[in-house]
Each structure stands twice: as structure tokens, then as C-alpha cells.
Amino acid sequence: MKLQRKNRLRALSLGAVAVSGALALTACGSDDTGTQTTGGSSSAAAGSVKCDGAKGQLLADGSSAQKNAIDAWVKNFSQACGVQINYKGAGSGAGVTSFNQGQIAFAGSDSALKPEEVVASKKVCKGGQGIDLPMVGGPIALGYNVPGVDDLVLDAPTLAKIFDSKIQKWNDPAIKKLNPSAKLPDLKIQAFHRSEDSGTTDNFTKYLIATTPDNWKYEGGKAWQAKGGQAASGSAGVAQGVKQNQGAIGYFELSYAKDMTTVAINTGAKTPVKPSTESATADIAAAKVIGTGKDLALQLDYKTKAEGAYPITLVTYEIVCDKGNKPETLAATKAFLTYLASEDGQKVLVENDYAPIPEEIIAKVRTTVDGLS
């Protein structure tokens, strides 16, 4: 199974569409098939996007974790269909709030809707409710800035103590035990966390709660609860804080970890696991659908000890009404989400350091998107 998974990921990587993270909102002409064209031929960057009557403008907000993926998707889709998509990426909490206030067509969230949020969504989704569609997978990397230390290994108890300000120096005995050959400096740790409600925070702390409850006694959720540390806005802000401060460590998606070193996690497997699209997919593949009806919320395995499976993963959901979507944005919403869930759309994830959703799950997403009304 591991070999098949690796081969599948290699195939995805080779077939991925090369994309830029910049937004492109260029309108193009259309042909009779619904696929938009430029100068009489299909846009290479857009792949096989099907516009299906999409037009106008879409407003969306939410997860900053998926922002780099959204930017790439928006570029391709907008080139093909001429639809302007404005995704703010202000955080999962902000996205869910805006969605339930009827301000946006869809939201991105790294946590599934809570029961009370589903109830609130029924006021916006006339005759329906908000549902969770898993669209983006990936590891939550722990990036760090410690001069002279290139291969840092940490485990859940040590991470919990670092982010709870109980371990404050990089040469602490607990870190030395995990890294006997490393030259750990007598340097103060600066642990960066998100300042706003964040699904990334929710998933990171779910990992700590699941694996080391004796060392992480907070209830969890999107809001950071531990004392001390440094706060920064968005995954980009946390990553920037780590890059600019010696002794810093922070959590963010792998696409934000470029040009920095990341922690390998000691899960109890033979070899500590580094964050990668492959290691995240190995964990997400074991996820179970726990949503009911058309909701496809997943349960992840934070306690995995499987070889090559990275335990700190997240899935970003696109939150949309199953019924009762606004008529003026329904066609564009369906077409955009259809592209995200398509084979070409999922290939874009690999090219941008995200993990594609396993086929058996993304197939259910495609069916659900097709039935949105």
C-alpha cells in the first residue's frame, strides 16, 4: 500500500499544472463546450476547467492555510471563465462568521462546522444548511530558527511544554535527550502562535490533546489558550516571525515553510517523520468520514505510529450551503468548487506543497458539489 501511495503521488507531481501564487482575474472568451478559450484554443494554465455558465464575482473568506492553493486555483479558473474571485484568507473563524452572516458565497475552514454553527447557517441557507467539503490536505509544519541546528527532532510532550512556556531554552535536557548529537545553544525559545481564531491552531492543539493530555490541559479550539509566546496574524505572519527571530519556532502549513528548517516528529515509529505531502497523505488516507447527510467532515488520526505518516495534519473544508445558495452566485460557486475537486484541481495541490484529498473521499465531494442548489 505504501508503494502504491508513493507512486500515485509521484504521478500527481509529474502531471501537476505549474502555477503562480498571484491572482489573475483575466476574462476570456468561451467556446460551445463551456470551456473558456483564449484566441481560439484552450488555455494551457487553466487545464480542463468547465465554466458551466459561471459569471460575475465571488466573495469568499476563511482559512489562511489554503491561501496559497486558492491563489493558484483562482488564477486558473479566472483565466478560463472570467469570474472575479476575492478570497481574503482572514482565518477560519472569520470565514465561518462571514458565511453565517450571508456575506460570502463560501468559506474555507480548517475545522468542521460546530453544531451551533450549523444551526446558524440555516438562516442563510434557505431550506438547507452549511456543509463541510474536504478539499485541501497538508501537514502542519513546525518551522524553527536555531543557528547550527539543522535536524531537530521533537515529540508531543516536548512540543506541548515548549508552546506552554514550560521549556524556555533550546539546550533544555528534554530537547537534548531527543537530539543527542546536536549542538543546542543556550538560546531563549520564542514560540509563535496565531493571534486570531484559526483552524490551524485548532488542529495543532488537537494533536497535543490527543497525544499528550497530561502536558496540554487546555480544551482546544480555534483560539490560542496557552500562556506566553508570541502572537502573529495568519500563517504568513507566524512564518515571518520565525524567519526574523533567532530562537523562534512556530506552526504553519508546509507551503509557508519554504527557506526554513522544519522539525521531524518522533511518533514512536522507527524513524522520526518530517512534514511533506507524502507523509501527510499517508495520515489523511486513514481519515474517516464522520459527517452525516451531505456533510463530509473527517476524523484524522493524530496518534498514528505508522512508518512515514506525519501526525500533525489538517484538512481544509470549503463550507457552502447544500440548498439555498444565492441564485446570483450559485453557478460560479458550483463551477469553482467542481474545478477544485477535479483531477486537475487536485494536481495543483501537489505543486504547491499541499496534499490531495484521497480519491475515495474526493469522489464524494464531486457528487455533493454537483447536487448543490
Side-chain angles (χ1 to χ4, degrees), residues 153-191:
V153 175
L154 296 174
D155 58 12
T158 308
L159 278 170
K161 292 174 185 176
I162 286 173
F163 280 90
D164 199 21
S165 301
K166 293 179 179 177
I167 291 179
Q168 299 187 357
K169 291 289 188 73
W170 281 109
N171 61 350
D172 187 275
I175 301 177
K176 282 186 174 181
K177 185 177 180 180
L178 290 165
N179 300 273
S181 61
K183 295 181 179 179
L184 296 165
D186 183 17
L187 179 64
K188 182 180 178 180
I189 296 174
Q190 296 189 63

Side-chain angles (χ1 to χ4, degrees), residues 2 267 269 271 273 282 303-310:
K2 293 178 184 175
T267 64
T271 305
V273 187
K303 294 183 177 181
T304 182
K305 294 183 180 180
E307 294 295 330
Y310 186 77

